[in-house]
Amino acid sequence: MHSLARTLNSARTRGYIYQALILGGVAVVGWFLVSNTLDNLERRGVATGFAFLSREASFEIGESLIPFSAADTYLRAFIVGLLNTLTVSAVGVLLASVLGLAVGIARLSSNWIVSRMAAAFVEIVRNIPLLLQLIVWYTIIGKLPGPRDALEPLPDVFLTNRGLKLPWPQEDPAHGLILAAAAVGIVGAFIVARWARRRRETTGQRFPTPYAVAGLALGLPGLAFIAAGMPLVWDVPRLQGFNFAGGVTLTPEFAALLVGLSVYTAGFIAEIVRSGILSVPHGQTEAGLALGLKPGQILRLIILPQALRVIVPPLTSQYLNLTKNSSLAVAIGYPDLVSISNTTANQTGQVIEMVSMMMAVYLVVSLAISAFMNWRNQRAALVTR
Amino acid sequence: MSKQPPSPQLFASAAAFEEEPSQAAIPAAFGRNSWKSLGWAKKNLFNTRLNTVLTLACLYFLWRTIPPMVEWALVNATWLGTPDECRAATGACWAIIVEKHRLIFFGTYPYEQQWRPFAACLLFVAMLAASGYRPFWRPWLAAAWVATLTAMGVLMWGGVFGLTLVENDKWGGLPITLMLSVFSIVLAFPLAILLALGRQSDLPAVKALCVGFIELMRGVPLVSVLFMASVMFPLFMPDGVVVDKLLRALAGLTLFTAAYLAEAVRGGLQAVPKGQYEAADALCLTYWQKMGLIILPQALRMVIPPIVNQFISCFKDTSLVTIVGLYDLLTAATVATTDPEWRPFFGEVYVFAGLLFWGFCYSMSRYSQWLEVALNRHNRR
């Protein structure tokens, strides 16, 4: 009797009991939901399972990286949506980072008017819902002039209500060679930068790393380009009849989504960059000056490594947000993952399968990005003794 | 940036304001103030060659954008009138806002009853403003909120006190946006505390459940959660049980917000010094006493600014319910633009909706910044 009371009173036993109760509760709720769902599906005559994925989709998709026609399967449509989401996210992350960095630095400028304008940009962009911004961008693009009197902000770049037309290099067999040279150059640059850093850390000798890296990464493909006889012919968009032919086209949906996502996220990234730079005490710059480092070296070797430590974690979550926010594409008709899943679910009635597939994909992408950025961050993190 | 050493001002523009130009030799005729501002301009706008170029470029940009914008929005605008008068004018057509403001604010709520959502919104905004005043942070504020929310429900729904019943599929516009955001954050808050405590728990099963839920919700977009709430949720319910569309969206928003809030609360829990946990254990407090009396009061105090920020993003996120077909402010604005007569002036409606959202979000974010400083004041010496 005594020992039973003691067992019941021990924190461990009670922990087990509580956990058993909670798990039991979750199981009961889960069973309730699953049995209801199965009932409902049976009543509606919907067959569960993923067999529908191999059926014919019979809907067209506006834009696609891989060939797609209405005769292809639902699975292929899903992959098209996934690729579209990944494309817009990847380009958006790139643009948002560049814009955010520029605005963040402008925000810290000693020039009053520059910093005020950057602040105004940040405050406007961050405080208006992204969905509204997307709709506005989309309507602005829709209000652009038609192909016949297209705007031409840069030579051979055309802005029309049918999208953005850009020149694109014509394919040439030598391009593969140049890309290979670029890859070799980038890998070589990495190896050289690593070797130079290690040598600097052990011996204190400096190496002109920036020049070597630039030389390798740009020089090698440049040499290959010259060696191959400069095979570059631009495929320029030209007006033919009622529309442009040639070049590449960014559709209005893609362009609106890309601009909207990049501008919105850039507002947040700018604040992150600003707080990161401000987090490095000014004494660090002075110490660098006292050691006789050049301004560029101070920025590269002292300020940036410390600022990045503060910047990277919130930056990661902004990249993730951008990827997730790309799902708002459904509101302006860009065929992303959500929009195609939605169409498929409406056509087949396989709501549960489609929503779970869609969520699983986002979850995998999110976890992958955050795993990569965590790995990157661990390398940048402060090593304390 | 490339040649000159990074000057102190480059990294701290605020510092530039502290030093003022020397005023030793100011000619009396020139006037003290203009001299001062000239000195200020030299220091802040034209101190280096690069800055001069930047200043001139910015001024040119502003000169090209601001005057046309002012002309469009104010000088040449039509404030009252018909679509034809708007077409004749070159400026903005604010007449569409005057014409459609009832629709934008209150959606399809019965026209002659629209004083009710108006009163509800006023009550709401007043409570929101009152909650920002720190001396009011007393237990009675929570009670006041419950009373306000009840009063809002009565006003919106009616059916008692001689008010006609208005079903919630007729609601729309600003009340939906306000109610969804406030209700979802209020309902998410207790859930978030439980999730945050669960994530820190020693019990592996509890921890796994909480981590799984939080990571799942934070890993997927809100749109997919809303789709789940609107399309999948009916399948989960037993036959015959119908949960209202608005409530389903609210449930989705609440779960989503709870996951993000839980991470904010976890930040607070981790920031409470370990000695506090140990001291509570030394006093033989039970787990709930320890958390309720010692840890949470300190942790929650620290996370008030992140909670306000979460509320701002929740407020912006409610606009997404338009995708699942609910009638919020943004939907109402879009509907207002579909009138064929006023069709060309949709831009003005979006500008107006944007200003509304911006006004709410900007004032709240300024408040949150102020609060952060005010709450940390006792930590400064």
Side-chain angles (χ1 to χ4, degrees), chain B residues 28-282:
Chain B
F30 200 74
R32 217 179 140 90
N33 279 333
S34 49
W35 192 249
K36 225 167 141 182
S37 54
L38 216 68
W40 177 87
K42 186 163 187 294
K43 202 170 174 87
N44 293 295
L45 298 177
F46 302 103
N47 52 349
T48 63
R49 223 175 297 162
L50 176 70
N51 265 346
T52 308
V53 173
L54 281 176
T55 303
L56 292 178
C58 288
L59 284 177
Y60 177 73
F61 174 77
L62 290 178
W63 176 64
R64 286 303 298 268
T65 51
I66 299 289
M69 233 152 77
V70 171
E71 242 167 55
W72 177 81
L74 300 174
V75 180
N76 295 332
T78 317
W79 299 90
L80 289 168
T82 60
D84 291 329
E85 286 172 52
C86 275
R87 277 198 194 87
T90 52
C93 175
W94 300 120
I96 183 175
I97 307 294
V98 178
E99 173 80 16
K100 302 276 178 198
H101 72 280
R102 291 280 197 110
L103 179 62
I104 295 172
F105 279 123
F106 307 123
T108 49
Y109 207 88
Y111 193 82
E112 60 286 357
Q113 296 287 327
Q114 282 181 357
W115 62 271
R116 281 158 52 181
F118 179 68
C121 286
L122 267 190
L123 204 62
F124 217 87
V125 173
M127 268 312 281
L128 217 55
S131 311
Y133 185 55
R134 284 183 66 202
F136 286 174
W137 290 4
R138 298 265 165 263
W140 59 259
L141 189 67
W145 264 109
V146 173
T148 312
L149 295 180
T150 321
M152 274 194 77
V154 169
L155 274 171
M156 293 294 293
W157 240 303
V160 281
F161 308 127
L163 297 168
T164 42
L165 183 73
V166 179
E167 285 297 340
N168 64 8
D169 53 353
K170 289 265 191 295
W171 301 3
L174 190 61
I176 291 274
T177 297
L178 288 176
M179 285 172 82
L180 277 178
S181 49
V182 172
F183 269 105
S184 65
I185 203 124
V186 167
L187 295 176
F189 191 60
L191 189 59
I193 291 178
L194 288 180
L195 282 171
L197 289 177
R199 194 171 183 160
Q200 303 285 80
S201 164
D202 297 328
L203 309 174
V206 176
K207 187 171 178 172
L209 276 177
C210 292
V211 170
F213 177 81
I214 293 174
E215 292 305 326
L216 174 72
M217 278 296 161
R218 283 161 43 94
V220 300
L222 177 57
V223 174
S224 67
V225 175
L226 285 176
F227 270 133
M228 197 171 150
S230 74
V231 218
M232 268 166 83
F233 194 83
L235 291 176
F236 292 158
M237 288 292 111
D239 192 32
V241 178
V242 179
V243 180
D244 178 272
K245 201 164 148 191
L246 190 65
L247 275 183
R248 293 200 311 253
L250 180 61
L253 268 175
T254 305
L255 293 180
F256 188 78
T257 310
Y260 281 83
L261 265 188
E263 288 297 276
V265 173
R266 180 168 75 120
L269 288 178
Q270 283 174 340
V272 174
K274 215 170 164 227
Q276 299 287 324
Y277 288 87
E278 288 163 357
D281 285 337

Side-chain angles (χ1 to χ4, degrees), chain A residues 70-376:
Chain A
D72 282 317
T73 59
Y74 282 119
L75 183 63
R76 198 173 171 88
F78 188 79
I79 292 170
V80 168
L82 173 60
L83 288 177
N84 280 342
T85 291
L86 292 179
T87 315
V88 81
S89 310
V91 184
V93 160
L94 210 68
L95 279 183
S97 306
V98 172
L99 188 60
L101 185 68
V103 176
I105 290 174
R107 190 95 166 65
L108 292 171
S109 164
S110 63
N111 189 319
W112 184 82
I113 202 163
V114 170
S115 77
R116 288 292 94 186
M117 275 172 65
F121 170 81
V122 168
E123 292 298 353
I124 291 173
V125 158
R126 292 205 313 170
N127 286 316
I128 295 178
L130 175 60
L131 186 60
L132 181 57
Q133 293 189 31
L134 285 179
I135 294 176
V136 168
W137 284 115
Y138 188 54
T139 36
I140 288 178
I141 291 177
K143 287 283 140 182
L144 286 173
R148 272 168 182 272
D149 28 24
L151 300 177
E152 198 176 351
L154 296 168
D156 293 330
V157 173
F158 295 97
L159 280 172
T160 76
N161 58 5
R162 308 233 185 129
L164 177 65
K165 315 277 173 183
L166 298 166
W168 197 252
Q170 262 172 20
E171 265 183 48
D172 189 284
H175 284 173
L177 186 73
I178 296 170
L179 279 183
V184 171
I186 289 171
V187 171
F190 261 112
I191 294 171
V192 167
R194 236 176 123 162
W195 166 81
R197 196 181 70 213
R198 211 162 271 169
R199 193 182 72 152
R200 192 190 68 230
E201 279 165 2
T202 47
T203 66
Q205 279 178 309
R206 283 184 203 145
F207 185 79
T209 317
Y211 298 111
V213 166
L216 276 172
L218 298 176
L220 268 185
L223 277 179
F225 179 65
I226 294 168
M230 305 205 217
L232 184 65
V233 182
W234 289 99
D235 184 11
V236 179
R238 282 282 161 260
L239 192 63
Q240 273 178 12
F242 290 108
N243 205 348
F244 280 93
V248 285
T249 306
L250 304 185
T251 61
E253 291 81 19
F254 180 81
L257 186 62
L258 185 63
V259 174
L261 281 176
S262 313
V263 167
Y264 183 75
T265 314
F268 290 88
I269 291 181
E271 283 298 279
I272 292 169
V273 167
R274 182 176 83 110
S275 65
I277 294 178
L278 282 180
S279 73
V280 182
H282 190 61
Q284 297 284 326
T285 312
E286 286 165 358
L289 284 172
L291 287 173
L293 296 178
K294 294 182 204 126
Q297 286 177 320
I298 294 178
L299 191 69
R300 208 177 71 243
L301 302 174
I302 295 183
I303 310 281
L304 273 186
Q306 299 186 64
L308 279 182
R309 201 177 291 146
V310 178
I311 289 173
V312 168
L315 192 64
T316 311
S317 56
Q318 283 311 319
Y319 287 170
L320 289 174
N321 280 348
L322 189 144
T323 311
K324 285 182 278 172
N325 282 338
S326 71
S327 60
L328 294 188
V330 67
I332 57 171
Y334 176 71
D336 81 320
L337 191 60
V338 172
S339 144
I340 286 181
S341 304
N342 200 24
T343 314
T344 309
N346 284 340
Q347 280 195 5
T348 59
Q350 311 277 357
V351 178
I352 297 184
E353 290 84 352
M354 278 331 284
V355 174
S356 3
M357 271 172 79
M358 173 171 93
M359 285 180 137
V361 165
Y362 274 110
L363 205 58
V364 167
V365 172
S366 295
L367 292 180
I369 296 183
S370 64
F372 173 77
M373 292 306 264
N374 278 344
W375 168 78
R376 169 78 196 64

Side-chain angles (χ1 to χ4, degrees), chain A residues 7-77:
Chain A
T7 321
L8 278 180
N9 257 332
S10 88
R12 232 175 114 177
T13 323
R14 280 193 294 168
Y16 284 129
I17 295 173
Y18 290 144
Q19 292 186 70
L21 285 177
I22 289 173
L23 284 181
V26 170
V28 167
V29 172
W31 176 81
F32 173 73
L33 296 180
V34 169
S35 67
N36 280 337
T37 312
L38 290 180
D39 272 2
N40 283 323
L41 290 178
E42 207 180 304
R43 203 170 302 115
R44 294 181 193 193
V46 180
T48 46
F50 291 92
F52 72 97
L53 284 176
S54 54
R55 292 215 304 267
E56 192 177 296
S58 66
F59 59 85
E60 291 287 346
I61 297 177
E63 55 195 293
S64 161
L65 284 183
I66 51 173
F68 181 85
S69 75
D72 282 317
T73 59
Y74 282 119
L75 183 63
R76 198 173 171 88

